[in-house]
Amino acid sequence: MKKIILGIVIFSSLLSCNLINKNEEKPKEVDAAKDVVLGGDKDADGCLASAGYTWSKLNKECVRVFTGVQLLPAEKVDATEDEAVFAAYVLFDKTKDNAEIFLPNQDESILLKRESEGKPWVNGSWQLIPWKGFVLKKDGQILYSGDGQIGSTVTGSDDSEEIPVTE
């Protein structure tokens, strides 16, 4: 009788160990949403690209370029629903004597400076001319133009202004 009881105890011990091992071998379900690290896409300047921020050399901070003046391609673009029209954006400093141009599909922005009010902003072959809004030229050829309408200012205000200015 002792042998039967001992056999049952050993058998049940082995069986319970086998069940424990099977439970340990099951892969743990992972919640993918918990593993996502928000803000993990900072660029070299510390700007969150996924939130629409990029580094402004003019303002020395992360900005959303689409809050500046939008300039559309000068060539008539017949975009269908499947095609996108890529705009350029202009940001100005507080004095409005300096402008920064952000072109589509170009990593580096272009800094422009003007001599006085009413004059164009210039950098080499680039010119930003204040005419019926703004016209952006390179080597005398009009590349982009816009009516001067802007979104929010660079600082995040919802008030529209003639030219966006950072504080």
Side-chain angles (χ1 to χ4, degrees):
M1 184 68 139
K2 289 182 184 181
K3 289 184 181 184
I4 293 176
I5 294 175
L6 182 62
I8 292 174
V9 170
I10 291 174
F11 178 73
S12 58
S13 296
L14 291 175
L15 184 61
S16 65
C17 289
N18 193 20
L19 287 175
I20 291 172
N21 287 339
K22 284 184 181 179
N23 288 338
E24 288 178 2
E25 290 175 10
K26 287 184 182 177
K28 294 180 181 178
E29 292 183 23
V30 177
D31 186 4
K34 289 181 181 177
D35 289 343
V36 174
V37 178
L38 298 176
D41 65 335
K42 289 185 179 181
D43 64 12
D45 297 304
C47 301
L48 290 173
S50 64
Y53 288 95
T54 190
W55 183 253
S56 170
K57 294 186 276 186
L58 181 64
N59 297 311
K60 309 256 188 294
E61 65 182 348
C62 296
V63 297
R64 289 181 165 171
V65 297
F66 53 83
T67 62
V69 175
Q70 182 184 49
L71 303 177
L72 297 175
E75 295 180 7
K76 183 174 170 103
V77 178
D78 294 324
T80 64
E81 289 181 21
D82 296 336
E83 296 177 37
V85 176
F86 294 102
Y89 291 91
V90 183
L91 298 178
F92 298 90
D93 67 354
K94 190 174 182 178
T95 65
K96 300 177 189 165
D97 287 331
N98 298 292
E100 186 170 13
I101 307 293
F102 293 89
L103 297 172
N105 302 322
Q106 186 170 324
D107 293 333
E108 292 290 319
S109 62
I110 301 165
L111 296 176
L112 306 169
K113 185 171 181 65
R114 71 175 176 178
E115 294 176 15
S116 63
E117 190 174 336
K119 299 281 185 176
W121 290 266
V122 179
N123 180 349
S125 61
W126 289 95
Q127 284 187 326
L128 179 65
I129 301 167
W131 183 73
K132 294 185 180 180
F134 295 97
V135 175
L136 180 62
K137 290 183 173 184
K138 182 176 183 189
D139 296 323
Q141 181 181 0
I142 297 174
L143 300 178
Y144 293 90
S145 64
D147 59 6
Q149 294 296 317
I150 61 170
S152 304
T153 62
V154 175
T155 57
S157 169
D158 289 334
D159 299 330
S160 291
E161 299 176 11
E162 183 178 331
I163 295 178
V165 177
T166 58
E167 302 280 333

